[in-house]
Amino acid sequence: MATTLPQGTLTDGMSLLVLTAMAEAEDSLGHLSLGRIPPLNEHLKNSIGDDVFKLCGDSEWQPRCIVMTKQLFIISHPGSTQVSDQIPLFEIKSCARLAGQAQIEGYSIAFVIDTVDEGYNGGRQYVFAVENEEQLQSWTQAIKKQAAICFKQHRNLSIFEESQERARKILRTKTWQSTFSILIVGNFVVNICQTSAAPFSNQTYGQQNVVLFHTFDWAFTLLFSVELAMNLFGNWITPFFESNWNLFDFAIVTVSIVCVGYPSGPTWILLLRTLRLFRIIRLFRKLRVLRTIITAILASLPIVFNAFVLLWLVAMIYAVVGQNLFSFRSPKYFGQFDMALYTVFGLFTVGGWLEVAHAVKDPAYGPGDVDPNVALYFVSLVLICVWILVQVVSALLVDSFTQACRHEERRALVDDEEQRMRKRGFTKVITRSPLAPLLDNLALFTNVAELSARIQRLFEVISSQSGCRELSRILPTSSKNTTLT
């Protein structure tokens, strides 16, 4: 089925500009809008009875209705009860008279609203023209006043929440991060020295070292326990345990406390004391480059697991074949299955395989002769396992590692944006885009014909609301007069 759309209709290469135009659809598609305009008793200020125009593009003014409630600045089309766009008041960065190129097609009395970059509207700028200076002053003052109130309400935290925010800020400071990075390195060095001095613990000089190292253990354990307690308090409690790094910190500090409480004990205490050396891994969390590498490696392991399984199965097959062929000739290498499997994995390194080949060679062949069975076994093993399967595993690992690195880079960008938003005083991030209802509706199609019909209907609505002239003006030339099949 082919559906021919009117001039200005998009194909599957639709742009964000077109989607923005779709978002301002008529209330006949009310389920695609941002909801209905609140009742009059919730309006702090509205433009009923006044002429208000919104700047669309570079120089075109279109009539709009604007409403301000306690939390939102709402934009709609005249005569419509549906919200076409909205601005959370606490995300308004500034509201002032439009300066510079204000006299556009005769509209010289206008004000501009700037939104924060990290918020719901993504830093968009809105320009509105009003009839006179009185309306201009009234709107700008009302918006600035209510935006300031909403900002304070948005930051209205309890004492516990304020303490948590303060703890998180301390944990994110460079001084705190640098100090504990130095402590981690120092603790690692002390643990190495303690391990090196262990053989001399029975001597007088060594006993003094035991006391010194025990004091270091107490000091480091106390400092790291304080850090863990602050982290647990600042991210109370679910966010703390959702992080694998926090779980790792919790385990290491718990092991350190147990070791300090039992300085000498059974073998399992010595094993736990050895685990404290892994605290150095925490540096990977503090250094983004190392953290990205480790996280990418861990994320790529599940992807290459199937290739590892295949390599393992082929190795076991060759171990069984080798044991059946060569166990009586060389019990050292192929006497038992585990020995044969160990030999096969050693052959994967292509090191010493000639020695193994000579050991399993049939004595009937002379020094200059080649045993066909041995040659077929080792050549096929090298070709299949070493040159093909191992390379496939390496290629999959590299590819998945690259994708994981890109994912970590995107996450790092999100973290940077959240940090910038916190610096601006915001504690919440609104991730629901105003285009989300429209995109959700478009995504619910079963075939191309249904998608064509949905897009056709949208453009009929947009054409009746804003006219084809506005739509064709923002569309790329290649998307006009096209047929969607």
Side-chain angles (χ1 to χ4, degrees):
M1 172 181 175
T3 304
T4 303
L5 303 182
Q7 182 175 1
T9 304
L10 19 142
T11 61
D12 50 355
M14 60 181 68
S15 65
L16 269 180
L17 289 175
V18 178
L19 290 177
T20 304
M22 290 181 181
E24 298 183 350
E26 173 62 27
D27 53 354
S28 59
L29 287 179
H31 60 284
L32 294 179
S33 72
L34 297 175
R36 293 185 176 272
I37 298 175
L40 287 174
N41 59 355
E42 297 182 14
H43 296 188
L44 297 181
K45 189 173 179 60
N46 58 53
S47 62
I48 297 177
D50 300 328
D51 291 332
V52 176
F53 295 86
K54 179 178 179 290
L55 181 62
C56 300
D58 296 330
S59 60
E60 183 175 354
W61 295 90
Q62 295 183 7
R64 291 291 188 272
C65 292
I66 54 176
V67 174
M68 186 175 68
T69 65
K70 291 183 178 180
Q71 300 293 333
L72 295 172
F73 183 88
I74 298 172
I75 306 169
S76 67
H77 291 280
S80 174
T81 61
Q82 297 296 321
V83 177
S84 63
D85 201 354
Q86 62 187 16
I87 308 173
L89 289 173
F90 70 89
E91 292 185 355
I92 293 180
K93 185 165 55 176
S94 64
C95 178
R97 185 188 185 110
L98 179 63
Q101 299 178 355
Q103 297 183 357
I104 304 175
E105 294 186 5
Y107 293 95
S108 59
I109 305 175
F111 63 92
V112 57
I113 297 176
D114 288 317
T115 61
V116 296
D117 296 336
E118 304 86 357
Y120 178 85
N121 302 90
R124 290 178 59 192
Q125 192 177 67
Y126 296 82
V127 181
F128 298 94
V130 292
E131 294 178 337
N132 51 55
E133 291 286 345
E134 182 181 353
Q135 292 182 9
L136 176 68
Q137 295 296 327
S138 176
W139 273 107
T140 54
Q141 292 177 5
I143 292 172
K144 287 190 288 187
K145 179 181 178 181
Q146 191 62 28
I149 294 174
C150 290
F151 182 81
K152 291 181 180 179
Q153 292 176 349
H154 187 70
R155 294 286 299 167
N156 187 19
L157 304 176
S158 64
I159 297 177
F160 181 77
E161 291 173 334
E162 289 181 355
S163 301
Q164 282 186 302
E165 181 68 19
R166 194 175 297 112
R168 288 193 293 266
K169 288 182 178 179
I170 294 174
L171 290 172
R172 289 193 297 265
T173 58
K174 292 184 178 180
T175 302
W176 183 275
Q177 297 286 337
S178 301
T179 300
F180 275 88
S181 296
I182 295 173
L183 289 175
I184 290 173
V185 175
N187 179 244
F188 184 72
V189 173
V190 169
N191 286 333
I192 293 176
C193 295
Q194 184 178 8
T195 303
S196 302
F200 309 99
S201 59
N202 293 329
Q203 303 177 8
T204 304
Y205 181 73
Q207 292 177 355
Q208 295 176 355
N209 286 339
V210 170
V211 176
L212 177 63
F213 288 130
H214 190 60
T215 304
F216 274 122
D217 285 343
W218 269 105
F220 282 119
T221 302
L222 179 62
L223 292 172
F224 290 125
S225 298
V226 170
E227 183 201 23
L228 180 67
M230 285 192 63
N231 191 6
L232 181 59
F233 173 74
N235 298 282
W236 188 268
I237 188 170
T238 303
F240 177 86
F241 289 103
E242 286 179 347
S243 171
N244 293 330
W245 287 106
N246 290 339
L247 294 176
F248 177 78
D249 293 346
F250 186 84
I252 294 297
V253 171
T254 302
V255 167
S256 300
I257 294 174
V258 173
C259 292
V260 167
Y262 297 92
S264 59
T267 305
W268 65 272
I269 293 293
L270 298 178
L271 178 62
L272 290 179
R273 187 174 290 112
T274 304
L275 294 178
R276 294 180 303 171
L277 292 171
F278 289 96
R279 181 178 277 125
I280 194 67
I281 298 178
R282 288 187 54 194
L283 285 179
F284 298 158
R285 179 187 181 184
K286 301 179 183 298
L287 300 177
R288 173 173 292 180
V289 176
L290 295 178
R291 183 176 70 244
T292 300
I293 293 174
I294 294 299
T295 307
I297 291 176
L298 294 178
S300 61
L301 288 181
I303 300 177
V304 299
F305 176 75
N306 292 334
F308 275 121
V309 171
L310 177 60
L311 184 62
W312 178 268
L313 291 176
V314 174
M316 288 193 292
I317 292 173
Y318 270 92
V320 173
V321 172
Q323 183 182 3
N324 291 331
L325 293 178
F326 311 124
S327 60
F328 62 95
R329 298 180 186 175
S330 179
K332 176 183 177 181
Y333 294 111
F334 293 96
Q336 300 292 334
F337 174 76
D338 55 347
M339 297 171 59
L341 186 61
Y342 181 77
T343 301
V344 169
F345 274 105
L347 295 175
F348 284 175
T349 63
V350 199
W353 72 276
L354 286 176
E355 178 183 352
V356 179
H358 286 299
V360 300
K361 183 178 179 180
D362 191 342
Y365 293 91
D369 299 330
V370 177
D371 188 341
N373 293 331
V374 174
L376 178 62
Y377 179 85
F378 283 92
V379 170
S380 63
L381 186 147
V382 171
L383 288 177
I384 296 176
C385 295
V386 180
W387 287 8
I388 297 178
L389 291 181
V390 172
Q391 303 304 321
V392 167
V393 171
S394 300
L396 287 175
L397 183 60
V398 171
D399 182 66
S400 58
F401 176 80
T402 303
Q403 295 179 6
C405 282
R406 292 172 181 170
H407 177 69
E408 287 300 314
E409 289 175 358
R410 290 193 293 268
R411 288 184 58 184
L413 291 176
V414 173
D415 293 341
D416 291 340
E417 291 178 0
E418 291 181 354
Q419 290 179 6
R420 286 196 298 269
M421 192 170 185
R422 291 190 188 100
K423 290 180 181 179
R424 300 181 66 91
F426 296 97
T427 57
K428 298 179 182 179
V429 181
I430 299 178
T431 57
R432 184 68 171 172
S433 168
L435 297 177
L438 172 65
L439 299 178
D440 292 343
N441 183 272
L442 286 178
L444 300 175
F445 65 92
T446 56
N447 51 55
V448 177
E450 183 180 350
L451 177 61
S452 301
R454 289 172 181 264
I455 297 177
Q456 173 75 32
R457 177 56 181 153
L458 284 172
F459 274 94
E460 289 176 358
V461 171
I462 294 173
S463 298
S464 63
Q465 183 66 269
S466 304
C468 289
R469 180 170 58 88
E470 176 187 358
L471 185 60
S472 61
R473 203 170 53 78
I474 65 175
L475 284 171
T477 305
S478 61
S479 64
K480 300 179 181 179
N481 295 323
T482 55
T483 301
L484 182 63
T485 58

